[in-house]
Amino acid sequence: MTAAPVNGLTIEYDVHGDPDGEPLLLIMGLGAQLIAWPLEFVELLTAEGFRVIRFDNRDIGLSTMAGSPPPTTRQILLATAAARFAHSPYTIGDMADDAAALLGHLDIDAAHVVGASMGGMIAQSMTIRHPARVRSLTSIMSNTGDRKNGKPRKTLLRKLPTLIAKRPEQAVDNGVEVFRLISGPHFDPSAARELAEAGFQRSHDPAGVARQTMAIAASPDRTWDLRRVRVPTLVVHGLVDPLVQPSGGLATAKAIPGAKLVMYPDMGHDLPRTRWDDIVAEITATAHRGGAGGAVGVRAAV
């Protein structure tokens, strides 16, 4: 692991694959450390010739934690309900700037950018704010920030606040339960526990997760700006995603000219191992595509 000084922060990252391979930046989601991109998944990408970079977003893992007090659960719920209540020391745009600066630190002019969940929001924002840095865009189980699409199911919203760990010893069990609630039918409790334990041992700071949540709420709708995206784009979504419902993927693909939308019937808000080969093949094909254009391509996977 290596730390990069960018934007007044320290961003922790690692690099895999051929140093001369096509650079591919993986951006993980809310409260998720770089290890949430499984090494076996990364190895599938490196086998395709990519040089893969994983990193911890600010306020998570081994990257710099913000010094401001975390928002309360009530403040987060109010901000989620109405934008006027969302006040954050940073936004998704700032996190996109971090990702772009990391590429600069690595002397990478441009990379294929793949983001999952909040990482998809960051990847979208990076493409908007730093278009010269992005060769292709893949947005997985994410949305455009328009608040109308990709909202969590109400039943899930009622359960999630009850799983905020009040004591460190609750963190792993509660984390596994969150994974279970948001995952699709291929949920693997053993793998979920292994990831939760590894994340807890590597870094545990719930305040960062709360601040990242508020950053999402405080960030503007990207729909209009996404209409200006001209790089090859792939949008991946699970049809049984309860955290960012499928309308989020549909809205993203609709907003980006020429985007290809792939929706998996057996995928929730997770990266099921049974779909790794499919997703890697789609990412690779997107990276190899020429300029985007034309109508949105939609394929329903089976």
Side-chain angles (χ1 to χ4, degrees):
M1 303 263 180
T2 310
V6 299
N7 295 342
L9 309 169
T10 298
I11 297 296
E12 190 76 11
Y13 71 94
D14 64 13
V15 183
H16 303 263
D18 186 344
D20 295 323
E22 283 281 300
L24 187 148
L25 185 68
L26 293 176
I27 310 178
M28 203 11 100
L30 173 66
Q33 302 178 46
L34 65 81
I35 59 174
W37 292 107
L39 276 176
E40 298 93 334
F41 183 83
V42 171
E43 288 167 355
L44 290 174
L45 289 166
T46 60
E48 294 292 338
F50 293 109
R51 176 190 179 196
V52 178
I53 303 107
R54 305 185 298 178
F55 72 100
D56 289 330
N57 288 304
R58 64 166 74 188
D59 242 348
I60 205 69
L62 304 182
S63 289
T64 298
M65 306 299 290
S68 58
T72 64
T73 300
R74 181 176 183 275
Q75 288 172 326
I76 290 173
L77 291 174
L78 284 172
T80 302
R84 68 180 183 275
F85 296 118
H87 305 288
S88 174
Y90 61 89
T91 65
I92 292 296
D94 295 313
M95 300 173 87
D97 294 345
D98 297 343
L102 175 60
L103 292 183
H105 172 81
L106 295 171
D107 292 324
I108 296 173
D109 292 332
H112 303 287
V113 179
V114 178
S117 194
M118 182 187 73
M121 303 173 194
I122 296 169
Q124 293 169 29
S125 186
M126 182 178 172
T127 307
I128 293 164
R129 295 164 72 96
H130 305 277
R133 290 282 190 195
V134 181
R135 297 186 185 181
S136 69
L137 166 64
T138 298
S139 179
I140 303 173
M141 53 191 176
S142 193
N143 62 37
T144 65
D146 69 357
R147 290 180 175 258
K148 298 187 299 294
N149 296 295
K151 295 189 294 186
R153 290 180 187 164
K154 291 181 180 179
T155 53
L156 181 65
L157 274 180
R158 287 195 291 268
K159 293 176 182 177
L160 288 179
T162 69
L163 292 171
I164 296 173
K166 296 178 176 59
R167 299 186 304 277
E169 58 268 25
Q170 297 176 313
V172 171
D173 287 342
N174 286 20
V176 172
E177 180 61 12
V178 170
F179 288 149
R180 185 188 70 79
L181 289 173
I182 66 177
S183 294
H186 300 296
F187 172 66
D188 182 341
S190 298
R193 182 164 295 277
E194 182 178 348
L195 176 59
E197 289 175 345
F200 180 80
Q201 292 170 9
R202 186 170 180 266
S203 173
H204 176 66
D205 192 339
V209 182
R211 286 189 291 263
Q212 286 186 348
T213 304
M214 188 61 82
I216 294 172
S219 297
D221 181 2
R222 294 174 295 280
T223 303
W224 180 261
D225 289 324
L226 287 172
R227 300 185 191 285
R228 298 186 286 107
V229 169
R230 291 297 180 268
V231 296
T233 298
L234 169 68
V235 178
V236 176
H237 219 101
L239 286 173
V240 290
D241 187 337
L243 185 61
V244 180
Q245 292 190 73
S247 59
L250 288 164
T252 304
K254 183 178 180 181
I256 301 173
K260 180 179 182 181
L261 174 63
V262 179
M263 307 187 82
Y264 296 114
D266 56 346
M267 176 174 159
H269 201 76
D270 56 355
L271 291 171
R273 185 179 292 267
T274 54
R275 289 295 182 181
W276 285 2
D277 287 340
D278 297 330
I279 293 171
V280 167
E282 294 287 357
I283 291 171
T284 303
T286 302
H288 291 167
R289 271 202 285 144
V296 174
V298 181
R299 180 170 72 86
V302 295

